[in-house]
Amino acid sequence: MEKLRHETCVAKNGKTIESIVRRNIKLKILNPTAVARGAVLRALSKSDGPERFSQCSYGLSLKEPYMPEEYEAHRNATAKIDDDDGCWYVERTIDWKINKGSQVPNGHEIKFLVRQTFAHRRRKLGCTVDLYVSDKEHKSHYPLKHASNKGTELARKISLDWTILKKSKRFQPEMPLEDSVYKGQANRMYWAVYYDVVLILEGRNPRYEARWPSSPDLRAGEEQQVYEQGQICVAAAFKPGIE
């Protein structure tokens, strides 16, 4: 293993400078006590970073089917009938896939399975999904405004347009489900898009991708297509000093 040589000196302004020399590379760090030595070593080789403990909780705001028997968070929540498919939902709940303090490897992917419905008469199939972050731990399935989600901040509003899927033969309108108030009504068919929102934890600022078809719907030999992607500036969602 290649050895690192540490040099310490005092600059003209009186500040201590610690230099780490590796071959012909020299990194100068002011106030070295504020920088973990392990972080410096990772800076020299970022490709295969070690597992880290997440500094944030990550969650996606969803419209969840109303299931008070399964989710305690739904028992005191307000449920509404969706105009598109006629089923009962709790709107704007948050599914927290990873909580602060969880150990995650660099490049780890978090998948949110999403089902978005649209009235059959809709020409454009556009929607938005909201990604939230927090520096606290949270329980899933509670509505956004619930006390359980106190401290939550919007990290990214993801705009999606699924209109192009109408050109796909595998994308067809659906009949109302068994528990729909429109059950058996052929004139109440609707569009339903099943897709993944994937959060990729790389470095300080994670990135996201919206992929279709959803992972459970993939056929043998089929690959998902990325329809939207971007980066999330987590630092902007917190007070200074929190990553």
Side-chain angles (χ1 to χ4, degrees):
M1 181 176 178
E2 186 179 6
K3 294 183 178 180
L4 300 178
R5 185 174 76 254
H6 288 74
E7 300 174 353
T8 303
C9 60
V10 179
K12 292 182 179 179
N13 58 9
K15 292 185 178 180
T16 300
I17 299 177
E18 181 176 336
S19 300
I20 298 178
V21 181
R22 177 181 180 181
R23 292 182 181 175
N24 295 324
I25 301 175
K26 178 178 286 189
L27 301 179
K28 292 188 176 181
I29 307 164
L30 295 179
N31 298 326
T33 55
V35 181
R37 183 169 298 171
V40 176
L41 297 179
R42 285 198 300 272
L44 295 173
S45 179
K46 293 183 178 179
S47 58
D48 296 312
E51 289 195 351
R52 302 171 300 164
F53 291 93
S54 176
Q55 297 298 310
C56 310
S57 296
Y58 298 91
L60 195 72
S61 178
L62 301 171
K63 180 178 66 176
E64 288 187 325
Y66 180 54
M67 294 189 290
E69 299 83 5
E70 184 170 349
Y71 300 137
E72 181 180 351
H74 286 189
R75 292 172 190 170
N76 294 317
T78 300
K80 297 181 179 180
I81 294 177
D82 182 71
D83 290 337
D84 299 330
D85 68 359
C87 294
W88 288 91
Y89 291 91
V90 179
E91 297 182 345
R92 302 200 71 188
T93 63
I94 300 183
D95 182 14
W96 295 100
K97 286 294 187 186
I98 189 167
N99 263 305
K100 179 182 178 180
S102 300
Q103 192 170 6
V104 292
N106 189 43
H108 179 64
E109 292 189 355
I110 304 171
K111 289 187 178 181
F112 299 89
L113 303 181
V114 184
R115 177 180 182 267
Q116 182 70 48
T117 59
F118 303 91
H120 188 248
R121 63 180 179 276
R122 287 271 298 270
R123 295 181 59 189
K124 299 288 186 179
L125 306 184
C127 64
T128 60
V129 289
D130 295 337
L131 181 67
Y132 286 90
V133 294
S134 172
D135 62 346
K136 299 178 175 63
E137 294 184 32
H138 300 275
K139 294 182 179 180
S140 293
H141 311 300
Y142 283 96
L144 174 62
K145 299 297 184 180
H146 191 273
S148 177
N149 287 320
K150 185 178 180 180
T152 297
E153 297 285 348
L154 178 64
R156 185 76 183 223
K157 184 177 287 291
I158 304 172
S159 297
L160 301 167
D161 187 352
W162 300 108
T163 309
I164 194 173
L165 295 183
K166 288 185 176 183
K167 297 180 180 180
S168 172
K169 292 182 178 180
R170 69 181 295 179
F171 184 66
Q172 299 294 325
E174 298 185 4
M175 284 288 292
L177 300 173
E178 287 294 315
D179 57 351
S180 170
V181 296
Y182 306 139
K183 177 184 176 181
Q185 300 181 36
N187 64 333
R188 295 306 305 243
M189 295 181 72
Y190 60 94
W191 300 103
V193 183
Y194 302 83
Y195 61 97
D196 295 347
V197 173
V198 183
L199 185 63
I200 305 163
L201 303 180
E202 288 182 341
R204 292 173 60 87
N205 294 320
R207 57 189 178 89
Y208 69 87
E209 293 180 352
R211 303 173 183 172
W212 184 87
S214 66
S215 45
D217 293 335
L218 282 174
R219 298 169 180 173
E222 185 179 26
E223 294 184 358
Q224 289 181 306
Q225 298 181 46
V226 177
Y227 281 79
E228 183 65 34
Q229 59 185 331
Q231 196 170 46
I232 303 162
C233 185
V234 175
F238 297 104
K239 296 178 181 179
I242 300 177
E243 291 187 7

